[in-house]
Amino acid sequence: MNDMQRRGFLRTGLTVGATALSAPAVVPLFGGTAGSGTFVHCVYFWLKEELTDGQLATFEGGLDSLVGIDTVRHGFYGTPAGTDRPIIERSYTYALVVVFDNEEGHDAYQVAEDHDVFRETFGDFWTDVKIYDFVVG
């Protein structure tokens, strides 16, 4: 590649990069572009300290069942990352994020049998739960 080609390549790359950074669409980590009205449901669980490893494994199985509900387009769960800055909330035990095409998908998830079974089975496992929902504009 000669100098003219290299400059053209760099200029094109910078233009594409700047366009991507200024694009109004949300580009989720799971790929693609979230459409307007995409509904994101974030749940943070503070579990009881006395739970056994077996109970925690069962709880994770319950989380698996939630991300498998039909209206869930993308679902993730895990434990707090190792990041440690004053602004980061790390006191929760598990977090769950599920993404739906729209609010109707979320509403169907709320009344799904697997969701009811999860609440009934694991409701005694936590001391607190916080939920944050948002809609992509």
Side-chain angles (χ1 to χ4, degrees), residues 14-125:
L14 290 172
T15 301
V16 169
T19 301
L21 289 175
S22 65
V26 174
V27 181
L29 293 175
F30 42 80
T33 300
S36 180
T38 297
F39 195 101
V40 182
H41 180 65
C42 308
V43 185
Y44 296 85
F45 299 93
W46 283 260
L47 300 183
K48 294 177 178 176
E49 290 183 22
E50 64 269 13
L51 295 178
T52 66
D53 288 343
Q55 288 172 310
L56 293 175
T58 303
F59 182 77
E60 285 189 5
L63 294 172
D64 278 333
S65 73
L66 294 178
V67 300
I69 292 175
D70 288 346
T71 60
V72 172
R73 293 299 162 244
H74 306 284
F76 312 92
Y77 65 85
T79 56
T83 50
D84 192 15
R85 297 187 309 274
I87 197 167
I88 296 175
E89 170 60 59
R90 295 181 62 229
S91 66
Y92 63 93
T93 314
Y94 277 88
L96 167 71
V97 177
V98 285
V99 180
F100 307 92
D101 289 337
N102 49 41
E103 189 171 352
E104 291 78 19
H106 165 265
D107 294 348
Y109 164 89
Q110 288 296 327
V111 297
E113 183 178 350
D114 285 345
H115 189 262
D116 290 340
V117 168
F118 178 83
R119 282 194 321 258
E120 292 167 11
T121 304
F122 300 107
D124 290 337
F125 278 38

